[in-house]
Amino acid sequence: MATPRPGNPVRGSTTGRPLMAALDLFGRRWSLRILWELRAGPLGFRPLQKRCDDMSSSVMRQRLTELLDAQVIHQLPDSRYELTPLGQEARHVLNPLARWAGRWAATIDPQGADHTDDQSASRVSHPDTVDDGTPERDSAD
């Protein structure tokens, strides 16, 4: 499957509108998780794979290839991967969506929302921390 690109047909859009291309890219399994795990800095293939719950090597390679092609991540000379400025920006603009998802979960199922990791996202005061300054927990896979 080709990397989604604005201007080319993507899932849900024959015109490839930029938003639809971005939703196709980030909607692919593990893409958001990779962005999340690279938030604190560069990681090599194996450490990144471990942080992504040992996803299969073939899926990992495919997602990394797509994210590289989309210029959301890049590979350093030492083979580690890191977010590009576009990748950092994408991660930051997704924070409001994460907060909304937490509110949505609490509205749909107030008792069930207590056990989701999205709870921390609903209290984000800084893009990477919850109100008490501790790192935000992941819920993006």
Side-chain angles (χ1 to χ4, degrees):
M1 185 181 291
T3 300
R5 296 183 85 64
N8 294 331
V10 296
R11 289 185 301 169
S13 174
T14 57
T15 63
R17 293 176 194 236
L19 178 60
M20 296 305 292
L23 290 173
D24 188 359
L25 177 68
F26 294 133
R28 292 178 179 199
R29 191 167 186 210
W30 297 106
S31 291
L32 288 175
R33 179 65 180 267
I34 290 170
L35 258 62
W36 175 258
E37 295 302 342
L38 292 174
R39 76 196 181 284
L43 288 170
F45 186 91
R46 296 278 181 230
L48 183 55
Q49 184 180 29
K50 279 280 186 214
R51 288 191 182 184
C52 292
D53 299 327
D54 284 320
M55 80 166 88
S56 76
S57 295
S58 60
V59 172
M60 176 86 148
R61 281 188 220 308
Q62 181 64 39
R63 292 303 166 260
L64 289 172
T65 298
E66 291 166 354
L67 293 170
L68 285 163
D69 188 42
Q71 299 179 23
V72 174
I73 65 172
H74 69 269
Q75 194 168 17
L76 299 169
D78 65 4
S79 295
R80 293 180 302 157
Y81 298 91
E82 76 175 351
L83 295 174
T84 63
L86 275 175
Q88 289 285 355
E89 185 179 357
R91 196 179 65 72
H92 288 290
V93 300
L94 288 167
N95 282 332
L97 180 59
R99 287 191 297 272
W100 176 86
R103 290 189 303 274
W104 178 53
T107 300
I108 299 295
D109 183 5
Q111 287 78 31
D114 290 341
H115 66 2
T116 67
D117 287 342
D118 289 344
Q119 285 290 56
S120 63
S122 66
R123 297 185 309 267
V124 174
S125 58
H126 178 275
D128 296 329
T129 60
V130 291
D131 288 342
D132 64 359
T134 58
E136 189 177 349
R137 293 193 51 195
D138 176 40
S139 61
D141 53 290

